[in-house]
Structures are given as structure tokens and as C-alpha cells.
Amino acid sequence: MKVVKFGGSSIASATQFKKVHDIVLEDTDRHYVVPSAPGKRNKEDTKVTDLLILAYSHHNKDDFEEIYDRIKARYNGIITELGLDISLEEDFKEIKEEIKKQNSFDYTISRGEYLNGKVLANYLGFDFIDAADVIYIDKHGRYDEKKTDAALTKALSEHDYAVVPGFYGQLNDESGRIKAFSRGGSDVTGSIVAKCACADLYENWTDVSGFLIADPRIVKDPKPIATITYKELRELSYMGASVLHQNSIFPVRNEGIPILIKNTNSPEDAGTLIVESTCHKPDHVITGIAGKKDFMSIYVYKKHMSNEVGFIRKALSILEKYHISIEHIPSGIDSFNIVVEKKEIEESLYEILAHFKDELKPDKLTVQEDLALISTVGKNMSDKPGTSGKLFGALGKNNINIVMIAQGSDEINITVGVKKKDFTKTVQVIYDTFVGGNEE
Ligand code: ADP
Ligand code: ASP
Ligand code: MG
């Protein structure tokens, strides 16, 4: 039994709906389908979720009607072109009233998936299960496993074939209000449905032929990864490989349900299988590369710091007071760097630096802005001596200055910090060095 999730671009138009229809119906094992909201039909297009966000913030502006009509047109276009016997007019009326009342942002942004789910269920001839009745989410956007498992397992047992819209559920505080996951969250819904259906496989259908070794927007035609472990994938998706939402592995991982990433526009391609462990020998030492741009690093130096017990703890507790989560803390004998996401610290940076000065009395305190982090990930890197030397050597040869190095304790990743302007080049050099034919 399979659970299948289709991303926004996979299901953005009537043409895409036809592809989805063929994929789902060609295999009777595909019992439960989780759709996103209609995404972009081309580069210049706007996702329905983004139109809903715009409509919410323009609720009292002159262009509201125009924005809302664009949303309606996306669904009506699909319904007309497919010749479906369904009308969303009542829903459109109700959603518009709710947006005007400004009662709930989460309700508004969830309607993209809700409406798409209704249309898709009608087209496939499947039942429709409203995610608001079966998925419970806490106020921080994490799913409530206990409540969800009970409600969703029961609902699935009552419907042989069904569509469950992605991205949202009900707030778990008895208020009955809608709560959405963070952006890209339909991947998480798919994983929860796969878990509760006790599926053999969670298929995640998107617009690329699997998880690629690097972001295709940075490296031209990167090779796909045939098999990857959950652990490697988690590192890559956390570091910005946006194919899968970073939280989507958790529900299926404990149940041992593999995820298969497939391309809706090229279903014959093998895709990427995500598993707990594999004896599959990869073609390259590294499995993948991913990176993110907007980081900042605080450098603290103090003579004889190593003799001062609790020094780093003091620095960390200052950041904790400001609720700032830390990415890396590479350290030397008398110094350390604290790397954080820029957007987290920007507002309180000067206050934090003042606390550092008062409480740590450092000999040197500097801030490095515009830092990018690039992680090279691979479970086989630890068996192959010289991998980091090769990586650093290649960056040096290409005049890329490494400002920070961090290696995860389980040796499946090497993270380098470089200036933001060197981000793209760094990813390309690492790809060429380990994959692009230069491998010794
Ligand atoms: P969906 O709408 O199907 O959920 P997403 O846009 O969330 O799809 O994710 C797929 C996109 O992720 C691809 O189109 C690609 O641009 C981007 N991407 C970033 N890194 C990678 C990678 N390593 N492999 C494949 N795609 C990647
Ligand atoms: N439609 C939502 C978004 O654009 C959720 C998703 O696509 O997974 O973020
Ligand atoms: Mg996505």
C-alpha cells in the first residue's frame, strides 16, 4: 500500500492534474493521495498559497477583488478544462468572508490545499477527508502525534481510497481553529498519512527526478542520488536542499517506511529512495551538497580561556535568553565562533554584544556578517581518508577563502563557512571536485 504526495508544481494546472490522475490510477496500491495547493505553472507564475497570503494582507485594499479572482480562476480553469461536475462557489464565498474578517491567517493559507483536495478527489473518484478533522497541530506548528494517530488511523480505516489535503490541520487546543505547518508542509502531511496508513512506501512526487547531488539552480544538470539514508537527507534538507520539508522524515522514519522521490513530469525516471540504512555503494565519496546563505558569526577570543571553567556556557546562556538557536560553535584553545542565522539575531545583535562584553570580558570580539554555510554530506566520507583535504585544497585552488570549518561528530558532513559572494562558486567547485569527473 502506498501513500502519494504531489507538490505544488505537479498539480498546478489541468495538464498536471491529468498526469497525476494517470499516475495514481495506474497502480491500485496507491490508496491515499496528499496534494499541495496549485503551484507555479511557469517561472513567472505565482503559487496559490502566495496569492492567499497576498489576499489576506490586501483585504481592505483596492486590488483585493483582482487578487481573489486570480485565485478563483486557478481552480475554475482546472474544473472547466477537465469537465468536472463540481462547483466551489459556496467555498469561495465563505473563504472571502473569512479573509475579510481577518480571523485567521492559518485558515486563509490552508484553503489552497483544501480546495485542491476537493477538486482532486472529485477527479479521481476518491473520498475526501478534511485534514482539519484528522490532523492535530500544536501552536508551534508541530503535529500532535497522539491525537492525530487516533483520529487519522480511524478515518483511513473507513475510506479505502481517499484524498487528504496537505499543509494544515486543527489546532490541538480544542478551539477547532485551523493551524498550518510551516511552508512546504504538505511533505509532512504525506509522511503522517503514510505512518497512520501503515504504508509500505511514501511516494513524494515533485518536479525533479529525485534528490540531486546539488541544487539544480546552482549546478547544471546535477546527477540524481539513487539511494540516501534518512540521516544524510536530514543534513541536506536542513541545510537548504528544499526538495523535502526538513521535518517530513520523522513520522515515517520510526516505522521503517521508505520515501521515494519521483518526478511527475518524468515518471519513468528511477528517482531517489530514502531508507534507514543501505549497503548500496554510491558512485561518489560524497552523497550530496547543500547550503544556505544568510548566517552571521560572532568571534570571541580571550587569553587563557581554556582555563576558565564555564566560559562558553556563559556565552550560550546569553543567546538562550534571546531565544536564539545556534548552528555551530567551532572552537580553538582560546577562542570560539558562534554561528547563527542572521534573521534570528539581527534585531538584538547590539544588545547581545554588550552582554558579551560585560559578562565575558573578551580580549577580542568581532562579528562576521554575510556568511554562507555549505555542507558536504556522505556516510562514506569517514572511510575515505583525505576527503576534507581534497575539499579544502579545491576551494583554495579556486581562491575561495574558508572562514570557518565544522565537522559533525558522526563524520557524515563537513561544513564550510565562506563569504556570501562565494556561495555559488563553492557549491560548484565541490560538485566538480567530487562528482564532475575530476575524481582521482
Ligand atoms: P514541490 O512543490 O513538489 O514540493 P519543491 O519546490 O518544494 O517541490 O522542491 C523541489 C525543488 O527543490 C526543485 O525544483 C529544485 O529547484 C529544488 N532543489 C533544491 N535542492 C535540490 C536538490 N539537491 N535536488 C533536487 N532539487 C533540489
Ligand atoms: N502550499 C504550501 C506552500 O506553498 C505547502 C506546500 O506546498 O507543501 O508552502
Ligand atoms: Mg515542497
Side-chain angles (χ1 to χ4, degrees):
M1 202 264 280
K2 297 172 187 168
V3 168
V4 287
K5 178 256 170 181
F6 289 90
S9 50
S10 293
I11 195 155
S13 64
T15 312
Q16 291 300 121
F17 261 70
K18 286 181 191 157
K19 294 181 191 170
V20 169
H21 180 273
D22 291 349
I23 290 168
V24 174
L25 296 188
E26 85 171 359
D27 183 349
T28 51
D29 287 345
R30 296 187 172 121
H31 281 254
Y32 302 111
V33 184
V34 176
S36 289
K40 292 183 177 197
R41 291 161 293 186
N42 51 58
K43 260 196 172 155
E44 287 70 43
D45 203 10
T46 309
K47 294 178 175 185
V48 165
T49 311
D50 290 319
L51 288 174
L52 287 162
I53 293 171
L54 196 63
Y56 190 81
S57 60
H58 284 221
H59 69 104
N60 54 4
K61 298 223 166 85
D62 290 347
D63 58 356
F64 174 81
E65 290 298 334
E66 186 200 315
I67 299 165
Y68 200 67
D69 283 346
R70 280 172 69 193
I71 297 170
K72 288 190 341 193
R74 292 293 302 268
Y75 294 100
N76 286 337
I78 294 168
I79 292 170
T80 312
E81 224 179 294
L82 297 177
L84 301 179
D85 184 19
I86 180 177
S87 165
L88 299 175
E89 287 312 315
E90 282 300 310
D91 289 304
F92 289 148
K93 233 173 95 191
E94 190 181 324
I95 295 166
K96 188 167 162 181
E97 277 165 20
E98 289 300 317
I99 294 177
K100 289 279 184 190
K101 283 193 225 153
Q102 295 279 286
N103 268 345
S104 168
F105 178 73
D106 283 37
Y107 165 85
T108 304
I109 60 171
S110 74
R111 294 305 88 184
E113 271 71 10
Y114 171 79
L115 295 171
N116 224 22
K118 273 185 137 179
V119 177
L120 185 63
N122 179 285
Y123 185 39
L124 294 173
F126 281 21
D127 297 337
F128 174 76
I129 300 176
D130 189 349
D133 298 331
V134 289
I135 290 183
Y136 292 84
I137 303 175
D138 73 13
K139 60 176 194 287
H140 306 290
R142 292 177 300 228
Y143 99 102
D144 180 326
E145 194 172 345
K146 216 165 143 208
K147 277 187 156 180
T148 303
D149 284 6
L152 183 55
T153 308
K154 181 167 179 289
L156 295 175
S157 72
E158 290 161 0
H159 301 271
D160 219 5
Y161 290 91
V163 172
V164 186
F167 190 41
Y168 71 94
Q170 184 185 133
L171 199 56
N172 69 345
D173 66 353
E174 313 294 324
S175 65
R177 290 168 72 85
I178 297 280
K179 176 79 189 149
F181 289 120
S182 54
R183 294 299 304 265
S186 299
D187 291 328
V188 183
T189 309
S191 182
I192 296 169
V193 175
K195 179 198 169 189
C196 291
C198 198
D200 299 296
L201 186 64
Y202 169 26
E203 289 180 346
N204 189 294
W205 292 79
T206 182
D207 60 354
V208 275
S209 290
F211 219 102
L212 308 171
I213 292 179
D215 188 331
R217 292 163 297 185
I218 300 177
V219 170
K220 195 168 177 287
D221 293 331
K223 292 187 188 161
I225 302 167
T227 312
I228 185 172
T229 62
Y230 288 122
K231 211 167 171 182
E232 291 169 307
L233 178 98
R234 167 100 176 114
E235 298 277 344
L236 289 171
S237 51
Y238 181 77
M239 280 309 289
S242 55
V243 197
L244 266 188
H245 189 287
Q246 53 161 315
N247 292 337
S248 56
I249 63 169
F250 297 118
V252 286
R253 185 175 182 176
N254 286 343
E255 311 303 314
I257 304 168
I259 308 174
L260 181 62
I261 313 271
K262 292 280 285 179
N263 189 346
T264 306
N265 305 318
S266 193
E268 59 289 345
D269 290 351
T272 300
L273 189 65
I274 305 161
V275 291
E276 184 60 43
S277 67
T278 173
C279 55
H280 182 92
K281 276 265 163 278
D283 299 334
H284 311 282
V285 179
I286 67 164
T287 303
I289 310 158
K292 283 204 253 184
K293 270 185 213 158
D294 293 302
F295 291 93
M296 197 178 248
S297 143
I298 303 175
Y299 171 79
V300 183
Y301 170 81
K302 188 171 186 183
K303 255 180 271 163
H304 310 301
M305 173 190 113
S306 54
N307 299 334
E308 211 174 303
V309 175
F311 191 73
I312 295 186
R313 184 191 51 75
K314 273 189 217 157
L316 299 187
S317 60
I318 294 170
L319 291 169
E320 192 181 344
K321 269 189 219 135
Y322 286 85
H323 300 287
I324 289 165
S325 57
I326 294 154
E327 293 297 318
H328 293 284
I329 319 174
S331 61
I333 297 172
D334 289 329
S335 67
F336 60 90
N337 272 294
I338 299 184
V339 181
V340 294
E341 265 196 275
K342 202 170 166 180
K343 65 174 188 293
E344 285 216 19
I345 200 167
E346 234 161 12
E347 264 180 33
S348 39
L349 180 66
Y350 292 102
E351 275 178 49
I352 289 172
L353 291 178
H355 279 292
F356 270 40
K357 271 192 195 141
D358 283 354
E359 294 172 38
L360 306 175
K361 309 211 174 350
D363 293 313
K364 202 169 171 194
L365 181 66
T366 54
V367 172
Q368 166 113 48
E369 289 197 55
D370 296 327
L371 190 69
L373 297 184
I374 295 106
S375 283
T376 304
V377 174
K379 65 179 171 45
N380 296 305
M381 293 189 324
S382 59
D383 306 337
K384 188 114 180 177
T387 307
S388 43
K390 189 167 162 178
L391 195 154
F392 303 146
L395 296 183
K397 242 192 266 166
N398 284 277
N399 293 321
I400 296 169
N401 187 23
I402 304 175
V403 291
M404 188 212 89
I405 297 170
Q407 182 166 30
S409 45
D410 41 15
E411 291 187 42
I412 70 159
N413 80 68
I414 300 167
T415 300
V416 292
V418 300
K419 285 266 173 69
K420 189 173 160 183
K421 68 171 177 46
D422 290 330
F423 175 72
T424 305
K425 192 169 169 197
T426 303
V427 176
Q428 288 164 346
V429 168
I430 298 173
Y431 184 88
D432 287 344
T433 305
F434 289 99
V435 186
N438 296 338
E439 206 168 351
E440 287 129 48

